[in-house]
Amino acid sequence: MPESSAGTLTAPEKPAKQKPGGTLYRGREGMWSWVLHRITGVAIFFFLLVHILDTALVRVSPEAYNAVIGTYQTPIMGLGEVALVGAIVFHALNGLRIILVDFWTWATRHQKVLFWIVIALWVVTMLAFTPRHLINVFSH
Amino acid sequence: MTTIEAPRTPVRPAPKRGVNLEKWGWIYMRVSGVVLIVLIFTHLFVNLMLGDGVKAIDFGFVGGKWADPFWQWWDVAMLWLALIHGANGMRTIVNDYTKPGTAQKLLKLALFLAAAVLIVLGTLVVFTFDPCPAGAPADLLPSFCAA
Ligand code: HEM
Ligand code: HEM
């Protein structure tokens, strides 16, 4: 890794055409893990807002709750739940990666490998989850 | 020439005295994250994988779970930790994409209110829940209501 000792960087007024990936960060594992972490975090947040409201319907009446939770059991929502679980599993695994990178110098140096480990674990988890969930949604 | 500050130039040095809230926010994101993995993965496993998964969820299912204080506290812990974590994360994003001013203040106020209202609502829902409301059709209620 090139050590830059310069205290400040100077950018030209008109930046020259840059190759994506011309830096250590842009277009690489570090950037994509950040982008995905941010997008999944926002998505889960908005889901949670709605989810607390739908759960609150148990205080209205059994009929009201069942009507809304019934929509969770339709094929389209079933696919949406695969996306939601996919988002959570990525955010959780990559969250652990962030924590390791923050506290452990080995992980800081190997953050790229760790990104691919996150992806691998994500694939394994989703392979275990998706078929069973879709069978539940599309049968009975 | 535009001068870009070095990455580690402190914009506002952390206060020397008193609590550093940003630091505790940073720590909170990590501690709550680790705990949330256990809470949320279990929540999803129990509600989506066991038995018939999502197809088995109805009023009676919730009544059965919240009859046990264990799951009541589980859900309340998940509610508080996840909402504060999510709202604080959203605050970071607001800081990144807006400049200081009224709009930024309003966005943060909205985040704060959404989290506060839903935490109070969700906590009340768990602890004031009545699994056997009077007058409801028996077939919609948990089986223990009949006794
Ligand atoms: C499709 C996926 C999901 C389903 C089917 C589902 C289902 C449920 C159900 C049936 C309840 C009622 C009580 C219980 O079962 O414990 C509940 C409550 C709750 N869920 Fe989920 N959930 C899902 C995803 C999530 C996720 C991703 C989160 C966290 C980000 C979450 C957070 C909560 C919280 C905090 C409560 C308690 C709400 C309250 O206090 O009123 N759930 N969920
Ligand atoms: C499942 C366990 C989770 C783990 C391990 C986790 C971990 C993390 C970590 C380590 C950060 C980075 C904080 C920083 O950079 O200072 C973060 C950010 C964030 N998290 Fe989570 N989180 C989890 C669940 C959630 C949930 C349930 C939500 C939504 C309610 C959420 C929403 C966010 C948001 C919006 C951010 C900010 C993203 C950004 O700044 O780009 N996370 N999370």
Side-chain angles (χ1 to χ4, degrees), chain A residues 47-120:
Chain A
F47 165 78
L48 186 58
L49 299 186
V50 175
H51 184 48
I52 292 166
L53 292 174
D54 65 56
T55 304
L57 290 174
V58 295
R59 293 292 286 117
V60 177
S61 72
E63 290 87 347
Y65 183 77
N66 288 351
V68 170
I69 210 69
T71 64
Y72 276 62
Q73 298 160 3
T74 59
I76 295 197
M77 289 291 273
L79 294 174
E81 285 143 18
V82 173
L84 174 72
V85 171
I88 306 245
V89 171
F90 176 82
H91 189 95
L93 293 172
N94 191 58
L96 281 182
R97 172 181 161 277
I98 294 174
I99 296 170
L100 291 178
V101 167
D102 283 341
F103 288 110
W104 183 23
T105 43
W106 181 89
T108 319
R109 276 194 223 104
H110 295 82
Q111 58 91 9
K112 288 185 188 177
V113 188
L114 284 172
F115 176 75
W116 293 108
I117 294 177
V118 164
I119 298 294

Side-chain angles (χ1 to χ4, degrees), chain A residues 44-45 47-49 51-58 65 69 72 77-78 80-82 84-85 88 129 133, chain B residues 36 39-41 43-44 46-48 53-58 61-63 65-66 71-72 74-83 118-127:
Chain A
I44 302 162
F45 179 73
F47 165 78
L48 186 58
L49 299 186
H51 184 48
I52 292 166
L53 292 174
D54 65 56
T55 304
L57 290 174
V58 295
Y65 183 77
I69 210 69
Y72 276 62
M77 289 291 273
E81 285 143 18
V82 173
L84 174 72
V85 171
I88 306 245
F129 169 76
H133 178 64
Chain B
L36 279 169
L39 293 175
I40 295 179
F41 279 35
H43 182 67
L44 292 173
V46 171
N47 288 3
L48 295 178
V54 71
K55 282 280 169 88
I57 300 177
D58 58 10
F61 175 90
V62 181
K65 266 184 97 173
W66 284 349
W71 288 119
Q72 288 186 317
W74 190 280
D75 283 356
V76 168
M78 189 163 62
L79 172 79
W80 285 66
L81 288 173
L83 264 177
L118 288 175
I119 282 178
V120 172
L121 174 73
T123 308
L124 285 175
V125 164
V126 173
F127 290 118

Side-chain angles (χ1 to χ4, degrees), chain B residues 101-122:
Chain B
T102 316
Q104 190 183 73
K105 283 216 179 68
L106 284 176
L107 284 169
K108 288 184 188 172
L109 180 70
L111 285 174
F112 177 83
L113 288 178
V117 168
L118 288 175
I119 282 178
V120 172
L121 174 73

